[in-house]
Each structure stands twice: as structure tokens, then as C-alpha cells.
Amino acid sequence: MAASMASQAAARGLRTATSKHVLLDKLKGSWLTPRRWLNLQEYQSKKLMQDSGVAVQRFYVANTASDALDAAKRLNANEIVLKAQILAGGRGKGVFDSGLKGGVHLTKDPAVVGDLASKMLGFNLRTKQTSEEGVKVKTVMVAEALDISRETYFAILMDRSYNGPVMVGSPQGGVDIEEVAASNPELIFKEVIDIFEGVRDDQALRMAVNLGFKGALQRQAADQIKRLYDLFLKVDATQVEVNPFGETPEGQVVCFDAKINFDDNAEFRQKDVFAMDDMSESDPIETEAAKWGLKYIGMDGNIACFVNGAGLAMATCDIIDLHGGKPANFLDLGGGVQERQVYEAFKLLSADSKVEAILVNIFGGIVNCAIIANGITKACRELELKVPLVVRLEGTNVHEAKRILTESGLPITAAENLDDAAVKAVAAIKK
């Protein structure tokens, strides 16, 4: 299915690429691990949809081969689809280290499901979106396979340009929505939702018509659209993307695959949803950083970037690259930072064997530079930092911060500006 950012790009007329692609271009091909938000497995998203009355395939979840076989028999379906449950895309064309090819299998014989599951569960599945080692499969979904006579695309997302939710749809589904928007922009339809009114009947029906549903299927599709919006509100989603939003030869409108993004700020009232989060597929450093309120993105260079704010992080990565270096990551402190967070950030960075130098680039707006300086000196002493450290501080209480660093007696290289910091960090790893 399309990437989760695709529908947001579609809603804006696809004038810009996704943030991941932009940063990849800026770093001239350096691999970037996306920031980790709550990301549910396919079966979990389907369960949320099912609970909201959205039409999905009948399915069961299994953790053992025998459970998968039992599930296949209970379905009593004409055809069964067995899907490995990992967060990476491209499962259908993936390869298991058991030798099995494909993380998605169709069969009309329930008896073979157990054998297929035995070659999936406990084995690593490698796809175009995983590392070389792949991801260990712990769960499979056993579902009724339904024929799709026609595929459409539908999404509901929060869009800042409209200050609220927007429906985005296209009669061409099952493909990358960005490609549709680029080649046939007239096939992208939008409906702005009034947050107080919700999705009106006429809006839902108009979208169903624009998606190409005919006759009685129009009302059925409109009903599913309204149910999807109910789900959107119920779980505090920022996006519900269904691709394909299809129809079957029997005259059913079904959500065959879905991606749900959630508002992290709503975690306090979505405890059950966030409890589903499986961190086992996340980068361990990213997971540890999140415990301390830090945002970590890993790359393949050797200069660690310790910053506050995504914009400053991208600028820091750019200028390191400009001077011939390669960023190993960026680690974003955010706003209300405390000394302990600075210490934990250094602990994470110094444990990364790729890191040969650390560049600290902080602009103190709401951040107090003296807090940063105290955290830096504490970390350097207690962790016995072995790699060169370049620090550029600017903004709130910067003079006090520079005094702290200077009087610490630690081997910290001060930089006057961002360009100076990048030059010194690159030079440090070349010594």
C-alpha cells in the first residue's frame, strides 16, 4: 500500500515529496531510519476497524503453526490468505531465512496453512524495507481471501492547510497514490470535513460517486466512509488510509488494507491503543531515546549530531555533508530539556560504535544553554568520553554556558557558529 505520508502529499497536490525522501536527497543517499511513531500490525488495525463496524475480511491471529492450521479450518473459506505480521512493507516479495519465499500466501487448501506457518513463525523475513538480517516473525494472520473486482483509494487525514480533517480519494487504488496524483491529478478528490459537523451524508455519497461506486454500492461505500470517520475520531487518529478500498464480485465494499496513524499527544486517553505498540522491531537506540523524551534518527555516517529541533537537525546534517563528513544520526533534545536528558543522550551516542565525533549544536530559545553545558560536563566526566566533542551554543544564558564549559577543563572544542562547528567536527575525525 502507499506510504503513510502519501495521502498527506496528495491532499496538498503533491507539491512536495515526503520528509524522508527530502532528507535522503539532502544527505546524498545516506540511509535514514524514520522517526518511530505508534505503528500497529495489520491485524491490530483491522481489529480496530472491525470494532467500529468497518467491513474487513474475517481473520484470526496465530503464534504457532498448529494455531494457524486450526484458524484456517475455522474460517471455512473458499480461499485463505496467510500473512506474516511485521511492520515493514514489501512482505509479499520478501524471503525468509527458512528458505520460504513470500510473506503472503494464498491457498484453497486449509491443510497446507500449518506447514506454511511453520516456515514463517520464528524465522526472519527480509524485505526491501528491512535490514539485511530481516525481522523475526512472531505472529501470522490467517484471513478469508476475498476477490477484488475493483480497487479504489480512500483516506482521512489531518491537514494543516485546512485546519482540520480532509477526505482524500481516488478511483485508482491498490497503487502508489503519489503516482496517480502525478500522472492523473484529476483523479484525486478531496472533501474538507467540518470538525463540528463531521462527515455529512452528501459528502460521503459524493466521495463514493467520485470513487466510481455504482448503484447500491454507492450507499454502502458512503456508509463505510462515515464509519471510518467515526474510527478516526474514536482513536484520535491523524490519518486512516485504506488502500485498496475495494468492491468484491459479490457486491461488498471492503477495506482490504489499512494504515492508521495516531496522535501521540492523545496517549493519555488512548491507553488501550498505545498498549498494542510492539517495540521489538524498533532500533534499540531509538527505543531507549524515547524513554527519556529524546527523538533519535539513525544514519550511516560517523559524526553524531546532538541538536534541539528538527529544522536545526537537518541544517546540521546538511552542513556536515557540505564539509565532507557524514552524520551518524541526529538526536533531538526538544524543548523542556533537563540535565539528565543531556546525560542520557551522551550515553546513547557514546555507545554507538560508528560515532567517531560528536557535534553539539544548540540554539537556546526555550532551552537554557547552561542546563545543556552542565549536562555535557557531567556526561564527559562520568562516561569518560573517548571521542572528540565539538560544541556550538547560542541563545538563552549562553555566556554562563560557555563559562561552565571553559572552566570544566575538559577537552571540549568550542565553535562560534554552525559552519565553524561542522569544519571542526569533520577535521576531528580526520586526525
Side-chain angles (χ1 to χ4, degrees):
M1 64 180 283
S4 62
M5 291 295 292
S7 57
Q8 295 187 44
R12 294 173 175 83
L14 268 88
R15 291 187 294 271
T16 58
T18 67
S19 58
K20 176 178 176 180
H21 294 158
V22 169
L23 193 49
L24 279 170
D25 289 342
K26 286 177 176 293
L27 298 177
K28 297 185 175 73
S30 293
W31 176 251
L32 172 64
T33 302
R35 176 178 173 175
R36 175 81 159 73
W37 299 100
L38 172 62
N39 205 354
L40 300 186
Q41 300 285 2
E42 179 185 0
Y43 77 89
Q44 294 172 316
S45 294
K46 275 187 162 62
K47 180 65 167 60
L48 289 176
M49 295 167 74
Q50 189 179 64
D51 291 346
S52 291
V54 176
V56 298
Q57 299 149 283
R58 293 186 296 123
F59 70 93
Y60 293 102
V61 178
N63 300 315
T64 67
S66 61
D67 286 346
L69 177 59
D70 289 343
K73 292 176 179 177
R74 287 202 307 275
L75 277 173
N76 192 28
N78 293 328
E79 192 170 21
I80 295 163
V81 59
L82 180 67
K83 290 186 174 184
Q85 296 296 285
I86 64 171
L87 296 175
R91 289 173 295 171
K93 296 181 180 179
V95 178
F96 287 89
D97 55 11
S98 65
L100 181 68
K101 293 183 178 179
V104 178
H105 286 265
L106 283 167
T107 180
K108 294 185 177 181
D109 183 3
V112 306
V113 171
D115 181 58
L116 286 169
S118 70
K119 295 174 183 176
M120 292 182 175
L121 291 164
F123 293 98
N124 283 18
L125 174 60
R126 187 177 71 253
T127 79
K128 61 183 179 180
Q129 290 188 14
T130 69
S131 64
E132 271 302 307
E133 302 83 50
V135 176
K136 182 175 287 189
V137 175
K138 300 176 182 177
T139 307
V140 293
M141 185 176 75
V142 186
E144 177 184 23
L146 297 175
D147 290 331
I148 307 176
S149 58
R150 198 176 65 86
E151 298 181 340
T152 76
Y153 173 92
F154 178 74
I156 302 170
L157 59 135
M158 297 300 293
D159 192 296
R160 289 186 180 183
S161 61
Y162 294 103
N163 294 317
V166 175
M167 291 190 286
V168 180
S170 173
Q172 290 191 10
V175 296
D176 191 333
I177 195 65
E178 290 181 325
E179 293 178 11
V180 177
S183 58
N184 301 99
E186 72 281 2
L187 295 180
I188 300 293
F189 297 94
K190 289 179 281 187
E191 290 280 346
V192 179
I193 302 169
D194 186 311
I195 195 68
F196 298 106
E197 281 189 307
V199 176
R200 301 190 311 273
D201 290 343
D202 65 300
Q203 283 185 301
L205 190 58
R206 184 162 55 246
M207 178 60 76
V209 171
N210 286 333
L211 294 181
F213 291 102
K214 306 292 185 184
L217 288 178
Q218 289 179 359
R219 290 289 178 187
Q220 194 181 145
D223 177 67
Q224 290 297 302
I225 286 169
K226 296 194 73 172
R227 289 175 186 268
L228 285 165
Y229 183 67
D230 289 342
L231 170 66
F232 180 85
L233 292 182
K234 178 181 175 182
V235 299
D236 284 298
T238 56
Q239 176 175 284
V240 174
E241 182 183 50
V242 183
N243 190 18
F245 182 57
E247 62 182 72
T248 70
E250 295 76 26
Q252 289 179 283
V253 177
V254 178
C255 297
F256 284 93
D257 202 355
K259 173 71 175 176
I260 305 176
N261 290 349
F262 303 88
D263 181 356
D264 277 17
N265 294 314
E267 182 177 0
F268 72 97
R269 64 175 174 231
Q270 297 292 343
K271 297 295 185 184
D272 291 344
V273 172
F274 280 78
M276 299 181 195
D277 195 9
D278 180 4
M279 302 293 284
S280 63
E281 294 182 34
S282 300
D283 183 329
I285 299 178
E286 186 179 352
T287 302
E288 183 63 22
K291 291 180 182 178
W292 298 99
L294 305 168
K295 285 76 176 179
Y296 176 90
I297 292 182
M299 300 178 213
D300 60 1
N302 54 5
I303 299 176
C305 304
F306 185 29
V307 301
N308 63 320
L312 190 59
M314 292 180 70
T316 304
C317 291
D318 276 348
I319 203 159
I320 287 173
D321 188 70
L322 179 67
H323 288 291
K326 289 292 179 186
N329 66 275
F330 73 67
L331 195 151
D332 181 5
L333 279 172
V337 64
Q338 301 299 319
E339 285 183 31
R340 181 60 188 270
Q341 288 171 290
V342 178
Y343 175 84
E344 294 297 334
F346 267 85
K347 192 174 176 180
L348 289 169
L349 296 177
S350 59
D352 187 346
S353 60
K354 299 195 310 295
V355 172
E356 297 178 21
I358 298 174
L359 192 164
V360 176
N361 182 26
I362 299 293
F363 179 79
I366 59 175
V367 172
N368 188 325
C369 289
I371 291 176
I372 303 295
N374 282 323
I376 289 172
T377 55
K378 177 181 172 65
C380 288
R381 289 193 180 99
E382 295 187 14
L383 298 174
E384 298 180 353
L385 195 66
K386 299 293 192 297
V387 298
L389 174 62
V390 179
V391 178
R392 179 255 181 170
L393 300 174
E394 193 59 68
T396 304
N397 215 6
V398 68
H399 297 298
E400 174 65 10
K402 289 181 177 179
R403 182 192 66 76
I404 292 169
L405 295 179
T406 300
E407 294 180 1
S408 70
L410 294 166
I412 298 171
T413 302
E416 291 304 314
N417 52 53
L418 180 51
D419 191 68
D420 183 40
V423 168
K424 288 176 176 174
V426 172
I429 63 173
K430 292 181 179 179
K431 288 184 179 178

